[in-house]
Each structure stands twice: as structure tokens, then as C-alpha cells.
Amino acid sequence: MNRFLTLLTACAMVLGLTALFGPQAVAAAGCRVDHTVTSRWQGGFQAGVKVTNLGEPVTGWTLEFTMPDPGQKLVQGWNAAWSQSGSTVFAVGVDPNRTLATGTSADLGMTGSFTGANPEPTAFALNGVACTDSAEEPPPVDPPAPGTGTPVDINGKLHVCGVHLCNQYDRPVQLRGMSTHGIQWFGKCYNSASLDALAEDWKADLLRVAMYVQEGGYETDPAGFTGRVNGLVDMAEARGMYAMVDFHILTPGDPNHNLDRAKTFFASVAARNADKKNVIYEIANEPNGVSWTAIKDYAEQVIPVIRAADPDAVIVVGTRGWSSLGTSDGSDENEVVNNPVRADNIMYAFHFYAASHKDPYRATLSRAASRLPLFVTEFGTVSATGGGAMDRASTTAWLDLLDQLRIGYANWTYSDADESSAAFGPGTCDGGDYSSSGVLTESGALIKNRISTPDSFPTG
Ligand code: IDC
């Protein structure tokens, strides 16, 4: 090859690398990868890959790795832009993972086909620098027990100030966390290991405890369910998280059907937990097929029962049309603005499922946010059935809006239910691992990414 051709080849290589890594990419000084094949089926597999940047911040980074079996093919990847060339797979960081600050991670996942015996990827490199592979390391030691610096330590007892939830410094805070699934079905998912993961890996501020009243819930064993809720309040408290006690009415949708049960339940739970700083009461999950005046009437009977035992806890009231502020019934926030519940220190619930509820619902929330204290006590990234495809664009639009308005939220669900709204793949709760990226679903990875970012709670 003459000198000109050699020079041309060298230029082409540099241009090719620039195209691959992007002009802003900086070589990472170190990285670590945790990967798990979460499921396998005939000829196919799903894997989670969590990459942690241990070096300088990188923007527009590329993670590459080898698929050792020549028959392997990338089918689909998420939380990055994925491609394959020969046996090498590339994942390029895109928003919200485009920049990886030092010490932060991106939870990626993929499905692939394979023909050989072993679909485990190997030889990971971030921007060309080899990563340590957790599969080849001894297991990590337990993180230190949480002490100061937890959400409850920093914020203390909460109260409503104007349209915001405020902390002990009278400054607005946004709590971000997860909802359990129905504790009558998924109790196995709420244990020391899973709550450690929620507090330490997810950095959640909040655990919402969904206690269904019907469907095998509270009405079948009032004392047993009251005890289980109290146990979860204590487990959240031990980890510095707020606990939202959700009286999960759903079918029938008129909360007055359960009025006596609500009074009995809340009298007991509020008396027992009155001295705690971390409890928020949610008195009616999703009223439906019922007027706002009937919901308000229920609230004005239940709230005094809670206040008698625990005078200063924040209470959240469900709203008409499955807690849509009436939107799903063709109404809007004005029915509440014009006829609010007569009580102090209360908020109103707003729920959405991102694939079903879009602009008209975002418009309601945006208007209502300057008139009413709101808490998104439940939302899903998927359709209102709890299943179907995740809607990433709509979820992102919603969460950006909630961040901007400083409205707190809890995602449905921190569970391994066999439905796309669940954060963990089926079977996760039968084992003890809630931390590997491989145990997360597509929804779980997206939500964990969002809520594990620093809170920056105001303290002055
Ligand atoms: C769904 C669960 C599903 C269960 C069903 C009936 O995901 O496993 O079979 O309830 O109990 C809500 C409700 C919440 C729903 C969820 C998804 O608050 O209970 O959970 N959803 O349908 N409102 C809108 C959606």
C-alpha cells in the first residue's frame, strides 16, 4: 500500500471511530458491568446489563461486548441505541442515559437469539476501556445501615403548605417512590432484602402500601391486614422512607361502601403510628362510578377519625373517575376547586397510566397544580389495565411535568407480577436478588433510573 493510501485508511479509521463514539466522548478510566440472563426460552434469551462509570463523566458513550456464540443475534435492546456487528454488540447512551457521571449507572437490557449453549455476553468495554465484570468478582459486602441523610432524616414530619408538600423547614419537597402491588397477593415481595434495595439502590423516598379492601384483602381479615400494614410502615421507617398507607378501594368504586371499615382501620393505624414522622394516609385509592360530593362526604367522615388519633399527619383524598380529578368521567378539577374537602393538611390524588392517559390528562394536572395540593399516589408506564406495551415517551413527558411541578409520585408496582407494569420479572420475589439489573423489567429499569437520581431536598 503506498503512503497516500495508508494515510487515507488512517483518516477513515479516525472518522469511523468518531462516528462510533461521538465527538464529545471521553475515554472512561474505569467501569463495572453487572449482567444477568434473566430468562431463556427455545433459541432466545433476555439479559440485563448495568454499566457503572468509575471514571470521568462520559457523554455519548459506547458500551461494547462480545457474544461468544457465533449464532447469537441481538433482537431488541432498551435504554440505549443498540446495534451489532459480527459478534460485537454496541449500546450507545441516549437520553436520559446520554451522560454517565462518575459513579452512576445505566440499566440496559436486551433480548437476543442464540444457537449454542451459553448466551452470556463477555468482554465489556466502555469507550474502548475494559470493564470489570461483577460475575468474576466476589459478592459485594452489605452497604452500611442507613443513618442520617435518609429522606425522613432530612425532611422530618411533612405538612401541606399552599399547593405543595413541605418538609420540616417549610420548603416544598417532591417524594418519589414505588407502590406495592396488592399485599394480599404479593406479600412475598416485601421483605428486608427488597426494601433494602428500594431504599439503597433505588434511593426511593416513599413506599406506598396498597392494602386492597376487597379481592381477598382487608375485609377478609381486618386484624391480619392491619398488622401487615403496620409491619411495612415500620420497615419503611427503619430505612428512612415515608410510608403511604393506601386504603385500596377499587371495586365497588363508591368509597362509602367501605365507610365503616375505613373508620375502623384508620382509627387503629393512626393511633398506633401517631408518633411516627413517616406516615401519610391515603383514604380512598380510586373512587369510580360515584360523584365528587359522595367522595367528599366520605372524606369528611374518615379524616376526623384519623385526626382524633394523629392530628398532624398528611392525608390524601382520592378523586372522581379513578382519581383523575373527574377527567375520566368528562369532568375536571373545578368540581374539587369549587367544593373542596373541609379539612386542613390534605392533598388530592391524581392517577395516570402513561399509555392510556396523555395530553388531556396532563392538561388537567397542569391546571389543577396551581389550585390544589396534588400527589400522584399511583401511576403506570403502561396501559390502565396494568399491562400492554410501556409508553416511554408519554411516561417521560409525565415525569418531566411532575418534576417541574414538584409533585410527588409512586409507581405501580414494586412487584414481580406477570404484567408489564411490574418493576421485576416474574419469579424475582422467589429469590433474594432485587439489585441486579437483570431482575428489572423494561418499566422497572426506566423508573429506577428516574427515581434514583439525587433528591436535593431543601434544608434552609
Ligand atoms: C391491577 C393489578 C392487577 C389486578 C387488578 C385488579 O395490576 O394485577 O388484577 O388491579 O385488582 C389501577 C388500580 C390498580 C390496578 C391498576 C392496573 O389502582 O389496583 O391494579 N390500575 O390496572 N388504576 C388504574 C390502573
Side-chain angles (χ1 to χ4, degrees):
M1 199 186 297
N2 65 29
R3 283 192 56 188
F4 176 72
L5 268 182
T6 313
L7 198 68
L8 210 65
T9 313
C11 285
M13 276 178 67
V14 170
L15 284 173
L17 285 176
T18 309
L20 194 62
F21 293 151
Q24 296 161 327
V26 183
C31 46
R32 172 198 158 92
V33 165
D34 303 81
H35 60 94
T36 331
V37 171
T38 46
S39 48
R40 289 184 197 200
W41 54 92
Q42 187 67 43
F45 69 101
Q46 175 167 336
V49 176
K50 174 178 171 182
V51 55
T52 305
N53 177 22
L54 303 176
E56 294 293 308
V58 286
T59 296
W61 46 269
T62 299
L63 178 74
E64 64 184 272
F65 56 85
T66 303
M67 307 251 258
D69 170 1
Q72 281 178 338
K73 286 275 172 292
L74 168 73
V75 173
Q76 197 199 352
W78 50 91
N79 294 348
W82 292 75
S83 59
Q84 179 167 8
S85 169
S87 61
T88 308
V89 174
F90 300 95
V92 176
V94 292
D95 286 335
N97 294 322
R98 184 179 301 277
T99 297
L100 271 188
T102 306
T104 62
S105 308
D107 277 309
L108 315 180
M110 62 169 286
T111 54
S113 58
F114 71 115
T115 52
N118 175 21
E120 286 289 348
T122 82
F124 293 88
L126 182 64
N127 286 358
V129 177
C131 301
T132 55
D133 185 338
S134 64
E136 291 154 17
E137 289 175 353
V141 291
D142 282 341
T148 55
T150 66
V152 176
D153 284 329
I154 297 170
N155 295 301
K157 186 119 190 163
L158 304 169
H159 64 281
V160 178
C161 55
V163 292
H164 292 293
L165 181 63
C166 279
N167 66 12
Q168 59 182 334
Y169 306 102
D170 209 24
R171 300 284 303 275
V173 291
Q174 178 197 32
L175 301 184
R176 299 174 297 166
M178 294 298 292
S179 176
T180 68
H181 203 293
I183 57 172
Q184 80 274 34
W185 296 312
F186 289 91
K188 65 178 182 176
C189 291
Y190 313 110
N191 51 56
S192 293
S194 69
L195 294 188
D196 283 351
L198 185 63
E200 290 161 16
D201 302 341
W202 289 61
K203 310 220 182 313
D205 310 320
L206 173 73
L207 173 73
R208 177 190 194 233
V209 180
M211 187 197 70
Y212 276 73
V213 186
Q214 275 72 45
E215 301 187 57
Y218 178 81
E219 68 177 2
T220 66
D221 178 10
F225 279 95
T226 305
R228 285 203 232 171
V229 169
N230 287 332
L232 290 168
V233 166
D234 292 355
M235 290 176 82
E237 182 188 36
R239 290 160 180 80
M241 291 187 288
Y242 291 91
M244 182 175 279
V245 175
D246 162 31
F247 194 68
H248 200 88
I249 62 124
L250 187 60
T251 311
D254 182 350
N256 293 294
H257 175 83
N258 289 304
L259 179 62
D260 289 342
R261 291 184 194 94
K263 287 181 176 174
T264 304
F265 171 73
F266 282 111
S268 166
V269 173
R272 191 246 185 205
N273 297 305
D275 293 337
K276 295 185 192 287
K277 294 180 183 161
N278 74 315
V279 185
I280 301 170
Y281 299 103
E282 183 184 6
I283 61 174
N285 166 50
E286 289 190 351
N288 58 88
V290 65
S291 69
W292 168 244
T293 49
I295 301 165
K296 176 179 136 104
D297 189 51
Y298 165 85
E300 289 176 354
Q301 297 188 66
V302 175
I303 291 170
V305 172
I306 299 176
R307 293 280 185 250
D310 185 349
D312 51 9
V314 173
I315 298 174
V316 187
V317 180
T319 58
R320 183 176 159 202
W322 295 274
S323 284
S324 67
L325 285 168
T327 314
S328 289
D329 282 355
S331 182
D332 62 28
E333 74 283 4
N334 285 315
E335 64 184 23
V336 180
V337 171
N338 296 332
N339 189 20
V341 171
R342 286 169 296 175
D344 293 329
N345 216 20
I346 62 162
M347 307 187 84
Y348 296 93
F350 188 86
H351 291 179
F352 65 84
Y353 278 72
S356 304
H357 307 128
K358 300 187 181 182
D359 287 342
Y361 289 81
R362 284 190 277 266
T364 301
L365 177 104
S366 301
R367 285 191 313 267
S370 61
R371 315 287 303 276
L372 300 168
L374 300 176
F375 204 116
V376 173
T377 56
E378 181 184 312
F379 79 96
T381 62
V382 299
S383 87
T385 62
M390 182 178 93
D391 191 328
R392 181 180 299 274
S394 176
T395 301
T396 302
W398 271 113
L399 296 181
D400 289 350
L401 181 63
L402 299 181
D403 289 353
Q404 185 202 323
L405 297 169
R406 280 179 296 193
I407 294 176
Y409 61 76
N411 173 246
W412 186 263
T413 57
Y414 197 68
S415 82
D416 68 350
D418 193 4
E419 51 193 18
S420 52
S421 50
F424 296 113
T428 301
C429 300
D430 298 327
D433 177 7
Y434 297 88
S435 294
S436 305
S437 60
V439 299
L440 297 172
T441 61
E442 188 179 12
S443 182
L446 173 69
I447 297 300
K448 183 180 175 189
N449 253 317
R450 289 291 300 218
I451 74 174
S452 59
T453 57
D455 288 296
S456 317
F457 292 122
T459 55

